[in-house]
Amino acid sequence: MRRYDVLIVGGGHGGASAAVALRQRKFAGSVAILGEEANPPYERPPLSKEYLSGDKPFERILIRPLAFWAEREIALLTGRRVVAVDAVAHAVTTHDGEQIGYGILIWAAGGHARRLSCAGHDLAGVHSVRSRVDVDRMREELAATTHVAVVGGGYIGLEAAAGLTKLGKRVTVLEAQDRVLARVAGPTLSRFFAAEHRAHGVDVRLGQSVEAIEGRHGRASGVRLATGEVLSADMVVAGIGIVPAVEPLVAAGAEGGNGVAVDVSCRTSLADIYAIGDCALHRSSFAEEQPIRLESVQNANDMATTAARAILGEQAAYTAAPWFWSNQYDLKLQTIGLSTGHDREVIRGDPSWRSFSVAYLKHGRIIALDCVNTVRDYVQGKALLLQPAPDIARLADPSVPLRDLVPGADAPDV
Ligand code: FAD
């Protein structure tokens, strides 16, 4: 049986960063990344942005050049899916029956795209946007595509809508809730992004649930809504979230369900097994110590560093402030903190300027900032997180730099 001192399951952002962090910290043992995708580790955010639109080829979204892994003696075991974990024997089993032993296991398996479950969900022309393969399949069909229905008005759905619009497709976004981005942002940002998409020609339909995908000759031809209306669509893109990929670990006895529970050092409840990234359920001071899963590159990278440090015997705690970005058209949204449960929004600037920020307050503290084309607010605003809210009139005044509102602290210059 092959055996690695550190075996990393999942070759995405978290898995790749964990291997890099171990070698940067001079870990001398054997390291392997075992991932089900056929590709070396690559960046996922461009899949709904520059890779979809054709502005970046695959080689430019690799996390590291291919030679890097061999030079650092990090084995890449691609195209291998783990189906079982034996936490007592310290071994995993892959889909083709091989057993691979580990000293330490880092579970960095992310999640799989949630699929539509309605009638017609399995027709050709129905897509998800999670992997390179998903987007390659979409791109192969684009030349023959006129109408695209995007199901889900979250970040991925909206980014796909922007990219497909840029490629000249007629796009309809179908969102079941009464606003886009409802899970992650406040109403001001939702209104702003819905208006932007409409201004670019996207038909944004709110409060619409999909009843079925209609087909002709085995291919999607339209989307039937709960209202009975049928929209023409020769491509359907589902952006309806992910299901964390944790079954083998939970079956092995790890605490969790909607993710694997980890402590502040990313340790699971099983000996010598860590979990990081999209699949890791952790308590966060940015969510009042409630267990949450974050789906962002920052979270995957920072958890990877935390796990690597803990493996090397350092005191390591994951306490970083969550941050996230989204690019749509010429808009760069940067988010810091978590706005969930906010009780007040303070808008800095005017959305009509297409450069403004929203500060989210809860119980008199700033819990998050959404910054649209306002990099300076994003950089300076970090120091305000979880602090008592400053004078609201000054917070709302975009001519007052946020660093001036930090009690007794020097925010960095931009
Ligand atoms: P992943 O990167 O998903 O990697 C997990 C890997 O594990 C995958 O390759 C998966 O196939 C593999 N795997 C799963 N199960 C198994 C198994 N049993 N055996 C072996 N391998 C397995 N974040 C941002 O911060 N900003 C953005 O703008 C942004 N845009 C995004 C756009 C898109 C289209 C997508 C899909 C995501 C985006 N994200 C963005 C989110 C970000 O990419 C994820 O949070 C990040 O990739 C999580 O890293 P991870 O290592 O936890 O999981």
Side-chain angles (χ1 to χ4, degrees), residues 268-286:
T268 69
S269 57
L270 297 175
D272 300 323
I273 303 184
Y274 292 73
I276 60 174
D278 283 12
C279 66
L281 195 59
H282 62 286
R283 292 186 187 276
S284 168
S285 55
F286 296 90

Side-chain angles (χ1 to χ4, degrees), residues 288 341-344 360-367 387-389:
E288 298 178 330
H342 67 273
D343 52 33
R344 184 167 184 183
Y360 297 94
L361 275 57
K362 185 173 184 181
H363 306 324
R365 286 180 190 274
I366 296 184
I367 56 168
Q387 299 294 323

Side-chain angles (χ1 to χ4, degrees), residues 9-15 34-37 42-49 80-83 107-112 129-131 156 159 245 248 276-279 294-298 300 323-327:
V9 175
H13 283 275
L34 193 164
E36 67 185 348
E37 293 189 63
Y42 61 91
E43 294 172 24
R44 232 163 269 283
L47 293 180
S48 52
K49 306 177 182 77
R80 314 291 301 278
R81 180 163 42 87
V82 169
V83 293
W107 191 263
H112 295 117
V129 194
R130 182 73 194 174
S131 67
I156 288 176
E159 287 180 357
I276 60 174
D278 283 12
C279 66
L294 292 175
E295 295 171 15
S296 74
V297 170
Q298 165 272 323
W323 62 263
F324 185 83
W325 78 93
S326 176
N327 299 341

Side-chain angles (χ1 to χ4, degrees), residues 147-328:
H147 290 87
V148 184
V150 175
V151 183
Y155 285 126
I156 288 176
L158 292 184
E159 287 180 357
L164 291 163
T165 301
K166 187 176 163 194
L167 293 171
K169 309 303 167 194
R170 287 176 58 188
V171 180
T172 304
V173 171
L174 300 165
E175 168 55 52
Q177 302 213 42
D178 60 0
R179 60 189 181 91
V180 297
L181 302 176
R183 196 173 62 86
V184 287
T188 303
L189 208 78
S190 300
R191 275 194 301 275
F192 173 77
F193 274 101
E196 278 292 326
H197 280 273
R198 287 179 176 132
H200 282 87
V202 177
D203 183 7
V204 179
R205 306 249 192 139
L206 304 173
Q208 299 287 348
S209 41
V210 172
E211 195 150 278
I213 311 297
E214 305 221 318
R216 210 175 299 127
H217 312 304
R219 285 202 67 81
S221 62
V223 175
R224 179 152 37 89
L225 303 176
T227 55
E229 185 183 359
V230 178
L231 303 172
S232 175
D234 30 30
M235 178 181 283
V236 177
V237 178
I240 53 173
I242 65 165
V243 180
V246 295
E247 305 87 337
L249 210 50
V250 171
E255 275 174 30
N258 176 33
V260 184
V262 295
D263 69 9
V264 71
S265 303
C266 300
R267 288 189 179 89
T268 69
S269 57
L270 297 175
D272 300 323
I273 303 184
Y274 292 73
I276 60 174
D278 283 12
C279 66
L281 195 59
H282 62 286
R283 292 186 187 276
S284 168
S285 55
F286 296 90
E288 298 178 330
E289 301 301 334
Q290 291 303 305
I292 54 166
R293 279 193 311 101
L294 292 175
E295 295 171 15
S296 74
V297 170
Q298 165 272 323
N299 175 64
N301 288 344
D302 287 347
M303 281 191 154
T305 305
T306 303
R309 291 181 56 206
I311 288 167
L312 290 168
E314 293 175 36
Q315 290 286 341
Y318 174 52
T319 54
W323 62 263
F324 185 83
W325 78 93
S326 176
N327 299 341
Q328 297 167 45

Side-chain angles (χ1 to χ4, degrees), residues 50-120:
E50 305 93 324
Y51 187 69
L52 172 63
S53 60
D55 292 332
K56 265 193 187 174
F58 185 67
E59 295 64 40
R60 285 190 51 210
I61 67 169
L62 288 174
I63 289 178
R64 290 287 190 281
L66 198 49
F68 172 92
W69 305 105
E71 284 162 10
R72 301 298 189 288
E73 295 186 42
I74 296 166
L76 288 186
L77 314 178
T78 52
R80 314 291 301 278
R81 180 163 42 87
V82 169
V83 293
V85 176
D86 185 334
V88 178
H90 279 50
V92 303
T93 307
T94 59
H95 69 287
D96 50 4
E98 184 183 353
Q99 284 209 315
I100 303 178
Y102 63 81
I104 302 268
L105 183 69
I106 302 181
W107 191 263
H112 295 117
R114 188 182 299 282
R115 309 269 163 194
L116 291 167
S117 55
C118 60

